[in-house]
Amino acid sequence: MNTLDAMVEFGHEQVAMYSDPETGLRGIIAIHDTTLGPSCGGTRMWPYESEAEALADALRLSQAMTYKSAAAGLNLGGGKGVIIGDSRTQKTEALLRSWGRFVDTLGGRYLTTTDVGTVGRDLETIRQETQHVVGLDVTLGGSGDTSIMTGLGIYMGMKACASEAWGADSLRGRTVAMQGFGKVASHTAEHLLEEDARVFAADISEGALDRARSMGVQVVGVDEIPGMECDIFAPCALGGVINHKTIKQLRCQIVAGGANNQLATPEDGETLHHRGIIYAPDFLINAGGVINAAAEIGQTYNPERARQQTERIYEKMAEVLATSRKNEMSTAKAANMLAEARLASVRKVRGIYRK
C-alpha cells in the first residue's frame, strides 16, 4: 500500500517525511485530524526495520491521539512523529535540532512532546529550533514529565473497571500483572502499591526490573506475564499485544494498561468482550499525559487543574462501561463512539465534512 492509500484508509489529513543526510535523520510526521485543534503527539525514536513499518506506526499512533484528545475533552487533534533510529546509539544534538526544524516547517499544525526513545532533555534541544513543543520541564515554564499524569489516569481507569467487575473500586489485595515497567508503569504502580495491591512486572530491561524490585514489585519472566493468573493484566510496553494468540492466554478479569494501540485488530476488542474480560480502551485511560501537556498550551501551567482533569478519566471510563452494558457492545466500540460523537458535533458546528 502506498502512502496516499494508507492516508485515505486511516482518514489522515497530512503525512510529512523528512531526510537530513548530514545528521542521519529520517523521520515522519503524521497529522490525523485537526477538527478540534492543532495535532499533538510525541516524537518516537525507534529502530524500525523499514520505512513502511515506521509509516504504519505513525499512522496508527496519530489516529489514536485524535481519539484520545476527543474523548478527554481536549481541544487538540491527533499527530505523531517517528524517527527511524536507535535512540541509544544514534540520537545526537544535531539530529534532534534537525528534527526541530522539521517540526517548525508545519507552522504549529503539529505540537510535539516525548514518547518512546525521547526524554525531557531532548525536548529542550528540539525547542532550540521550534516553539511547537509541549511537556518541557516546569522550570522552563512547561508541564513537565507526562508519565506522571499518565500513570494516574491508568490507575483511575483501573478503579472504574474494578467497580464494574467487583462492585467496588478498591484495588486492595488485587493482583496486577504489568507487561513492561517503564516510567508510566512505574507511576501507575506507585498508586497501586499505596492501595495495597499486589503488583507483578516483566520487562526486557534490567534497569526497569531493578526499579521494580526497589519499589517492592515482584518480578516475573516476560514469557510468563501474559498467561499469569491475575485480576488485572496491564500492557505497558508496545502495541499489538492483545491479539488472537495472547487473548487465549489471558487469565484475568480486566485488561487495563498504558501501552498505545493494544488491540492488534478491532476484532480483538470484540473477542475480549465475548470472553467476559473488561477492556479499558488504551486511548481513554492513558490520556493523562496529553491532558497534562494541554494544560500548558496558551496558559500558565496549573498542576492541580491537570490532576483534576486526569482524575475525570474515572468518569469517562464509567460512562463507556455503562454504554457497553446498556447496548451489549464491547468497551472498545463504546469508547470509539464517545470520541466520534464529539468530533462529529464539532465538525457540524464548523461546517466540516468528512466521510
Side-chain angles (χ1 to χ4, degrees), residues 91-265:
K91 186 165 58 178
T92 64
E93 178 189 359
L95 182 143
L96 291 171
R97 292 186 70 144
S98 184
W99 179 254
R101 291 195 297 275
F102 177 31
V103 171
D104 204 58
T105 64
L106 296 173
R109 278 176 54 79
Y110 170 63
L111 308 175
T112 194
T113 187
T114 57
D115 201 280
V116 176
T118 56
V119 296
R121 292 189 303 275
D122 299 330
L123 290 183
E124 295 177 31
T125 304
I126 294 169
R127 182 66 165 70
Q128 299 301 310
E129 303 294 337
T130 182
Q131 300 291 311
H132 306 304
V133 176
V134 292
L136 289 165
D137 191 84
V138 290
T139 61
L140 298 173
S143 54
D145 186 353
T146 59
S147 67
I148 297 172
M149 290 298 177
T150 305
L152 172 62
I154 293 163
Y155 169 68
M156 299 307 296
M158 287 178 175
K159 288 181 71 65
C161 290
S163 181
E164 180 76 8
W166 305 304
D169 67 10
S170 172
L171 295 175
R172 182 183 178 89
R174 296 294 178 184
T175 300
V176 182
M178 309 190 83
Q179 184 186 52
F181 204 76
K183 291 196 298 181
V184 169
S186 298
H187 289 301
T188 305
E190 289 172 358
H191 296 289
L192 292 169
L193 293 169
E194 188 174 344
E195 198 175 343
D196 292 328
R198 299 174 64 232
V199 183
F200 294 77
D203 201 293
I204 59 174
S205 166
E206 281 302 320
L209 296 180
D210 288 342
R211 181 171 62 252
R213 293 185 186 98
S214 70
M215 295 174 61
V217 172
Q218 299 182 63
V219 170
V220 297
V222 292
D223 295 330
E224 179 183 353
I225 200 82
M228 180 178 170
E229 186 171 356
C230 59
D231 295 301
I232 302 174
F233 175 63
C236 294
L238 297 179
V241 297
I242 304 299
N243 52 59
H244 72 282
K245 179 180 178 181
T246 57
I247 290 175
K248 296 175 184 177
Q249 297 176 276
L250 293 176
R251 301 168 66 195
C252 61
Q253 290 181 265
I254 295 169
V255 172
N260 289 309
N261 296 331
Q262 292 169 24
L263 303 178
T265 69

Side-chain angles (χ1 to χ4, degrees), residues 5-119:
D5 287 340
M7 290 174 64
V8 171
E9 179 181 346
F10 284 91
H12 280 71
E13 296 177 4
Q14 182 177 3
V15 171
M17 297 186 175
Y18 188 70
S19 172
D20 181 2
E22 291 297 317
T23 64
L25 174 64
R26 297 169 63 220
I28 301 170
I29 291 176
I31 296 175
H32 179 252
D33 190 298
T34 57
T35 298
L36 300 174
S39 67
C40 183
T43 290
R44 173 171 295 194
M45 187 168 184
W46 189 257
Y48 297 100
E49 294 184 0
S50 66
E51 175 190 310
E53 185 184 11
L55 175 62
D57 208 25
L59 292 173
R60 286 192 296 264
L61 291 167
S62 55
Q63 183 184 47
M65 288 303 300
T66 294
Y67 278 62
K68 185 179 300 189
S69 291
L74 304 176
N75 294 318
L76 291 172
K80 184 65 68 169
V82 299
I83 298 173
I84 302 172
D86 190 330
S87 62
R88 298 168 298 179
T89 59
Q90 295 175 270
K91 186 165 58 178
T92 64
E93 178 189 359
L95 182 143
L96 291 171
R97 292 186 70 144
S98 184
W99 179 254
R101 291 195 297 275
F102 177 31
V103 171
D104 204 58
T105 64
L106 296 173
R109 278 176 54 79
Y110 170 63
L111 308 175
T112 194
T113 187
T114 57
D115 201 280
V116 176
T118 56
V119 296

